[in-house]
Amino acid sequence: GQSLEQPSEVTAVEGAIVQINCTYQTSGFYGLSWYQQHDGGAPTFLSYNALDGLEETGRFSSFLSRSDSYGYLLLQELQMKDSASYFCAVRGVDSNYQLIWGAGTKLIIKP
Amino acid sequence: EAQVTQNPRYLITVTGKKLTVTCSQNMNHEYMSWYRQDPGLGLRQIYYSMNVEVTDKGDVPEGYKVSRKEKRNFPLILESPSPNQTSLYFCASSSGTSGAYNEQFFGPGTRLTVL
């Protein structure tokens, strides 16, 4: 089967750096995506790692290591507006055109 | 403005009363999908469509139907809703190019309550 695991909740301080991990068990996949969802809102796409390594987009970076079955989302210079849930997702080679989603990590930011 | 729209945004209904949630996108995307979101369970895919007249089951298709007669529309049909279908529903779309399936654009969501 295929599954992704994320911590259910992470707490950090405004201005700090936080890392949200995503570990997965799947026979193979095409890449790792990250989405952000504010309370009451829709998920919005943040990043996609097709290859191993680090992808940087402004204050957000995403990392993938296929050999370690591991990825993470790094948020720098945290702002209160970053308080949200963050989901990782993969499209497995065995899952046709479905995305398999993690259960999400709620990021709580304290002043 | 490029967007995915859903209607209605909120719906309270009773068990067994057929309902349809509409979804429309204006980005000429081939791929469209329906998800339900329940607390602690993340997003679970109900159905998806690779293109017009092509649909396939996701992880939790029981109790739902879809159709894709036009590229822009992908309605979700609950023939006989039950209380366990009370949930937050999202429609999403993405272009059909490789890798792009991973970048999905979501509608605002439909909060459905079945009494």
Side-chain angles (χ1 to χ4, degrees):
Chain A
Q2 301 174 89
S3 65
L4 289 89
E5 293 186 8
Q6 308 177 233
S8 59
E9 189 176 289
V10 171
T11 301
V13 177
E14 189 176 15
I17 300 172
V18 72
Q19 178 174 310
I20 298 173
N21 298 324
C22 175
T23 57
Y24 50 85
Q25 293 184 16
T26 177
S27 55
F29 64 97
Y30 291 105
L32 180 68
S33 300
W34 287 94
Y35 287 77
Q36 178 191 61
Q37 185 180 29
H38 288 100
D39 282 347
T44 56
F45 174 79
L46 288 177
S47 68
Y48 171 59
N49 290 70
L51 304 172
D52 283 5
L54 191 68
E55 295 278 345
E56 297 180 71
T57 308
R59 294 187 297 114
F60 293 4
S61 303
S62 57
F63 173 82
L64 175 63
S65 169
R66 292 173 185 269
S67 59
D68 295 325
S69 298
Y70 165 71
Y72 65 73
L73 180 69
L74 190 74
L75 295 83
Q76 303 181 71
E77 301 173 18
L78 285 172
Q79 301 175 9
M80 297 304 292
K81 67 179 182 179
D82 297 329
S83 295
S85 291
Y86 293 85
F87 295 87
C88 59
V90 297
R91 181 163 76 92
V93 294
D94 295 332
S95 63
N96 203 355
Y97 293 98
Q98 296 178 242
L99 283 187
I100 310 299
W101 295 78
T105 299
K106 186 175 180 65
L107 174 61
I108 298 169
I109 300 174
K110 298 184 176 180
Chain B
E1 179 189 356
Q3 60 182 348
V4 179
T5 57
Q6 295 178 228
N7 282 291
R9 294 288 313 279
Y10 303 91
L11 180 60
I12 300 174
T13 189
V14 295
T15 299
K17 186 176 181 181
K18 180 179 179 180
L19 67 92
T20 298
V21 184
T22 64
C23 173
S24 183
Q25 51 93 6
N26 63 1
M27 294 171 279
N28 201 35
H29 283 166
E30 285 83 8
Y31 183 91
M32 297 186 75
S33 179
W34 276 102
Y35 295 91
R36 62 177 289 174
Q37 186 174 34
D38 303 289
L41 295 179
L43 287 157
R44 293 183 294 168
Q45 192 171 44
I46 303 170
Y47 270 95
Y48 63 95
S49 170
M50 295 299 298
N51 214 323
V52 175
E53 303 293 1
V54 181
T55 63
D56 210 344
K57 297 177 180 178
D59 296 317
V60 288
E62 294 77 22
Y64 304 95
K65 287 175 59 177
V66 294
S67 68
R68 188 91 181 272
K69 294 184 170 61
E70 306 166 282
K71 196 173 189 179
R72 63 183 293 125
N73 296 322
F74 191 43
L76 179 69
I77 303 156
L78 285 73
E79 294 272 3
S80 183
S82 62
N84 65 12
Q85 292 178 298
T86 293
S87 188
L88 179 60
Y89 291 86
F90 287 103
C91 180
S93 74
S94 66
S95 70
T97 56
S98 177
Y101 297 109
N102 293 279
E103 179 179 357
Q104 298 196 5
F105 297 82
F106 283 79
T110 295
R111 188 166 292 281
L112 172 65
T113 301
V114 183
L115 303 175

